[in-house]
Amino acid sequence: MDRKLHCTLLWLLCISLFQIVPSQAQNVDSATAFVRQVDADYANPDWRHQQNRQDKFYTRQMYRLIAADRTGHTGEVGNLDWDPICSCQDPGDPGDLKVQSITLSPTGPFTFKAVVAFVIVREPVITVTLTLLKTPSGWRIDDISEKETTSLRALLLTRPASEHRAPK
């Protein structure tokens, strides 16, 4: 292959890659909008609405782990006996949970760490880190960490229900 043809093909490849991969700014904007939408769903007074939206919050794999943890524990709860998104037992009345800040850090072409500070009326600030993954269906939460649980995914995969804990 001659040098001119090689350079032309390389140039066309570079241009096509820029057209396929959305800009980082677009990803930041859409990931931030996703986190804000999750927060907005807490303002809906119909609790069933939030329960029905869980598959829209999480990646398919994470949702399966959460669903599996909720079943098969005769007489006791599974590992997940708190709301992992707000790291709380009870987010309060609809509208009580508010996002104070969102800080996104890219971890790959289609992944972010989102450090989210929540405020629940009359409670101290709660900070969680959401691992966001861009899927064909949009942004989803692929893992959650907070001060007492470094990985919700790892907890659901490894800890028996008898060792669960609730956040303070």
Side-chain angles (χ1 to χ4, degrees):
M1 179 178 330
D2 74 353
R3 184 169 173 80
K4 187 175 182 178
L5 179 61
H6 180 73
C7 288
T8 302
L9 289 175
L10 185 60
W11 183 77
L12 289 172
L13 177 65
C14 289
I15 288 176
S16 66
L17 286 175
F18 284 116
Q19 291 175 346
I20 293 172
V21 178
S23 75
Q24 190 73 358
Q26 287 174 319
N27 279 334
V28 167
D29 291 346
S30 62
T32 300
F34 167 74
V35 173
R36 292 207 180 278
Q37 181 59 52
V38 170
D39 172 58
D41 277 5
Y42 277 83
N44 187 323
D46 184 357
W47 181 251
R48 292 170 304 210
H49 169 76
Q50 187 187 18
Q51 292 296 343
N52 292 335
R53 294 266 313 157
Q54 294 292 307
D55 66 331
K56 304 253 187 313
F57 293 165
Y58 298 105
T59 59
R60 187 172 295 149
Q61 298 83 3
M62 190 65 173
Y63 181 70
R64 284 186 192 138
L65 287 171
I66 291 169
D69 188 66
R70 290 181 179 155
T71 61
H73 303 288
T74 308
E76 63 179 280
V77 297
N79 284 313
L80 189 54
D81 64 346
W82 73 98
D83 185 324
I85 291 175
C86 66
S87 186
C88 61
Q89 286 292 326
D90 180 9
D93 291 329
D96 282 355
L97 180 71
K98 302 281 187 199
V99 169
Q100 185 180 55
S101 65
I102 302 170
T103 305
L104 292 172
S105 302
T107 56
F110 301 103
T111 58
F112 281 100
K113 291 280 185 191
V115 178
V116 184
F118 290 103
V119 176
I120 301 175
V121 176
R122 296 177 298 282
E123 297 289 332
V125 174
I126 299 166
T127 303
V128 297
T129 301
L130 308 175
T131 301
L132 303 179
L133 175 66
K134 191 165 192 178
T135 71
S137 301
W139 289 101
R140 297 294 184 266
I141 300 168
D142 196 44
D143 201 1
I144 300 175
S145 63
E146 43 92 10
K147 67 180 179 179
E148 294 185 36
T149 304
T150 57
S151 170
L152 179 60
R153 176 183 293 279
L155 172 75
L156 296 175
L157 283 170
T158 61
R159 275 177 79 187
S162 61
E163 294 179 18
H164 71 279
R165 66 100 191 130
K168 295 175 171 111

